[in-house]
């Protein structure tokens, strides 16, 4: 399972994913997972809300779950989406819940 926090275990609790760092392909930290959005009917993670931009100017964006891969060496997720592409993603809004 590519998106688990421990490759030896097939499942992870959502509260263990929240707050996990996200890195770009070069290993630079680009944000953290704020929450997971799960389809009510499918039970599958549709996307993660990722927060980045700092304490004073935080931004939250919806990142497709399949664009995140857990990297045990970093204890975080990697994405192939660049920071400039992240800024072009839909900004998450509470009305999406």
């Amino acid at each position: 399972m590519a998106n688990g926090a421990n490759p030896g275990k097939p499942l992870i609790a959502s509260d263990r994913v929240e707050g996990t760092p996200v890195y770009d392909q070069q290993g630079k930290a680009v944000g953290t997972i704020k929450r997971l959005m799960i389809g009510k009917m499918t039970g599958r993670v549709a996307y993660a809300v990722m927060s980045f931009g700092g304490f004073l100017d935080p931004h939250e964006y919806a990142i497709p779950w399949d664009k995140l891969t857990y990297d045990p060496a970093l204890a975080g997720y990697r994405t192939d989406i660049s920071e400039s592409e992240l800024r072009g993603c839909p900004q998450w809004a509470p009305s999406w819940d």
Side-chain angles (χ1 to χ4, degrees):
M1 183 168 162
N3 289 328
N6 182 341
K9 296 182 180 181
L11 301 174
I12 185 169
S14 62
D15 63 338
R16 299 223 26 196
V17 175
E18 294 166 2
T20 302
V22 177
Y23 300 91
D24 65 14
Q25 290 299 307
Q26 291 71 42
K28 177 186 171 201
V30 293
T32 59
I33 303 294
K34 177 108 180 198
R35 64 178 45 92
L36 301 178
M37 301 305 290
I38 302 167
K40 287 181 183 179
M41 302 304 285
T42 66
R44 296 176 191 228
V45 176
Y47 61 89
V49 176
M50 191 180 94
S51 177
F52 74 98
F55 175 71
L56 297 176
D57 189 25
H59 300 281
E60 295 180 354
Y61 294 90
I63 307 301
W65 184 242
D66 62 0
K67 297 301 273 179
L68 297 166
T69 303
Y70 189 75
D71 184 332
L74 291 173
Y77 291 90
R78 280 193 189 261
T79 186
D80 63 356
I81 304 172
S82 70
E83 188 169 341
S84 62
E85 290 173 318
L86 287 171
R87 293 188 185 279
C89 288
Q91 194 158 6
W92 182 82
S95 63
W96 291 14
D97 287 356

